[in-house]
Amino acid sequence: MALIKSPTLEEEMRKNPELKESDIQALREWCAKQPHLPKISDFELALFLHSNYYRLEPTKNTIDVFYTIRSHVPELFSNRDPLGSKAMRQALNVGCFLPLKKTTEEGYKIVLAKLVDFDPSHYVYNDCTKYFCMVLDMWLYTEGTAKGHVLLIDIEGVTLGHAGRLSPMGLKKFLYYLQDGLPVRLKGMHFMNTSPVMDVILGMMKPFMKKELMDMLHMHSTTESLTKYIPLEALPNEQGGKAGPLAELNAAQVKILEDHRAWFLDEEVSARVNESLRPGKAKNATDLFGVEGSFKKLEID
């Protein structure tokens, strides 16, 4: 997929001495026998392989999940024109998703997620999660592999009104993508400025979280506990850091998405599976996630 400047395979091999051309070739040959998959670049194969610590079989599973979810979860992976619908523009004004410049002490990259508009009636879970996935795509496709990635979610301004707008099925879909499809080495999931509403949100998330994700979950009600994992200076000024004003960082991130509008439009066509060509039985959303109605809607008094 052109339209974006990604690192080359050679650059990734220089960065990761364990990345072998023979493994990339093995994946090329495997992909050629999977007619349902789209065309996958060598750079993408390197991303998938690195995220699975160079184990071939888990890499194949991640590749299939990555493209299958994009095809069967349209609420997160369709209509991703950053200059498009009113719903998309509203999501860009409600949430803020920032890959931070500074890494952790271990060299892990950090992405910050937070609300900038605290009105629950403006918050739409699927649209804001779609926006988050777009930022993750840009980050991965432009920067390539990393030692690890850390998610930092700021709970400031999140209320029971927001929690009531979450859906268990929506959380299940995103957490499945995060754990089984996203080609990163996830090293931590940190929630800062936590409040009692976090118990409600976690109660909805936990059924869909593997032990590995549970083990890297950290709650921080103070910045003091957060600084054991994340350098404070990495954060925007408003959160006590030195990265710059939040509004400026946010505007720059939105501009990156807008500048890559053509890539998002192309990706929606070129990076999907063709179920009619899948070896064996074709998959659908029900196979992946069960029946939507089997979840009770969260009720908040």
Side-chain angles (χ1 to χ4, degrees):
M1 213 185 302
L3 312 173
I4 195 167
K5 189 168 180 2
S6 297
T8 62
L9 177 60
E10 291 70 27
E11 286 169 329
E12 285 295 351
M13 289 176 78
R14 281 198 296 274
K15 189 162 61 164
N16 303 291
E18 294 168 81
L19 184 59
K20 296 185 179 70
E21 170 71 37
S22 58
D23 287 341
I24 295 290
Q25 182 56 31
L27 288 173
R28 286 188 198 117
E29 290 168 10
W30 174 78
C31 287
K33 294 172 187 164
Q34 311 300 315
H36 65 297
L37 290 178
K39 185 168 172 46
I40 303 171
S41 71
D42 285 350
F43 162 71
E44 289 168 311
L45 294 178
L47 262 187
F48 288 118
L49 196 56
H50 175 270
S51 71
N52 284 286
Y53 300 87
Y54 311 109
R55 297 167 302 164
L56 283 170
E57 291 312 309
T59 298
K60 293 173 186 176
N61 184 61
T62 300
I63 290 171
D64 196 75
V65 170
F66 179 83
Y67 292 106
T68 300
I69 286 187
R70 283 169 181 255
S71 310
H72 293 299
V73 186
E75 60 270 39
L76 299 187
F77 293 103
S78 289
N79 302 314
R80 299 206 301 169
D81 182 350
L83 297 171
S85 67
K86 187 179 169 191
M88 190 74 247
R89 296 308 296 176
Q90 178 161 308
L92 295 176
N93 290 323
V94 169
C96 171
F97 302 103
L98 295 176
L100 302 177
K101 294 274 183 262
K102 195 170 174 60
T103 64
T104 68
E105 225 170 74
E106 302 88 348
Y108 304 154
K109 293 184 176 181
I110 310 160
V111 63
L112 169 68
K114 77 182 301 299
L115 291 176
V116 287
D117 174 348
F118 296 159
D119 184 339
S121 70
H122 295 165
Y123 175 76
V124 179
Y125 170 80
N126 283 339
D127 293 341
C128 285
T129 305
K130 178 192 293 190
Y131 173 20
F132 186 34
C133 290
M134 290 168 71
V135 170
L136 291 175
D137 276 358
M138 271 300 104
W139 199 25
L140 284 175
Y141 275 84
T142 54
E143 296 196 9
T145 60
K147 258 187 180 177
H149 286 83
V150 172
L151 303 183
L152 173 60
I153 300 114
D154 189 346
I155 298 302
E156 183 198 2
V158 176
T159 64
L160 283 173
H162 293 96
R165 294 172 73 82
L166 300 175
S167 77
M169 181 59 92
L171 287 168
K172 181 179 188 179
K173 288 176 177 179
F174 175 69
L175 287 167
Y176 179 48
Y177 175 66
L178 180 68
Q179 296 172 100
D180 291 89
L182 190 66
V184 301
R185 295 180 176 183
L186 195 59
K187 297 292 186 178
M189 194 175 190
H190 297 264
F191 290 88
M192 66 184 286
N193 294 317
T194 55
S195 62
V197 72
M198 201 57 228
D199 295 336
V200 177
I201 296 169
L202 260 187
M204 297 175 73
M205 292 169 63
K206 278 181 176 173
F208 315 120
M209 293 170 71
K210 295 180 178 180
K211 183 181 183 301
E212 292 89 337
L213 188 57
M214 289 296 297
D215 289 346
M216 60 177 78
L217 200 63
H218 301 275
M219 302 292 148
H220 307 283
S221 54
T222 66
T223 49
E224 194 184 346
S225 68
L226 180 68
T227 54
K228 291 175 188 165
Y229 302 93
I230 289 169
L232 201 57
E233 62 266 29
L235 303 177
N237 299 355
E238 291 84 345
Q239 291 166 300
K242 297 177 180 172
L246 186 69
E248 283 181 21
L249 296 168
N250 192 22
Q253 184 56 49
V254 169
K255 185 168 188 324
I256 289 171
L257 299 186
E258 292 172 349
D259 289 347
H260 288 89
R261 175 178 185 255
W263 183 85
F264 285 108
L265 298 179
D266 179 72
E267 186 273 346
E268 212 169 300
V269 178
S270 63
R272 298 295 180 266
V273 296
N274 182 341
E275 290 296 349
S276 66
L277 298 177
R278 184 187 289 274
K281 184 180 177 291
K283 290 183 178 177
N284 59 37
T286 306
D287 297 329
L288 296 170
F289 305 110
V291 181
E292 186 93 47
S294 63
F295 287 104
K296 288 188 175 68
K297 186 89 177 91
L298 177 69
E299 288 175 17
I300 291 173
D301 300 326

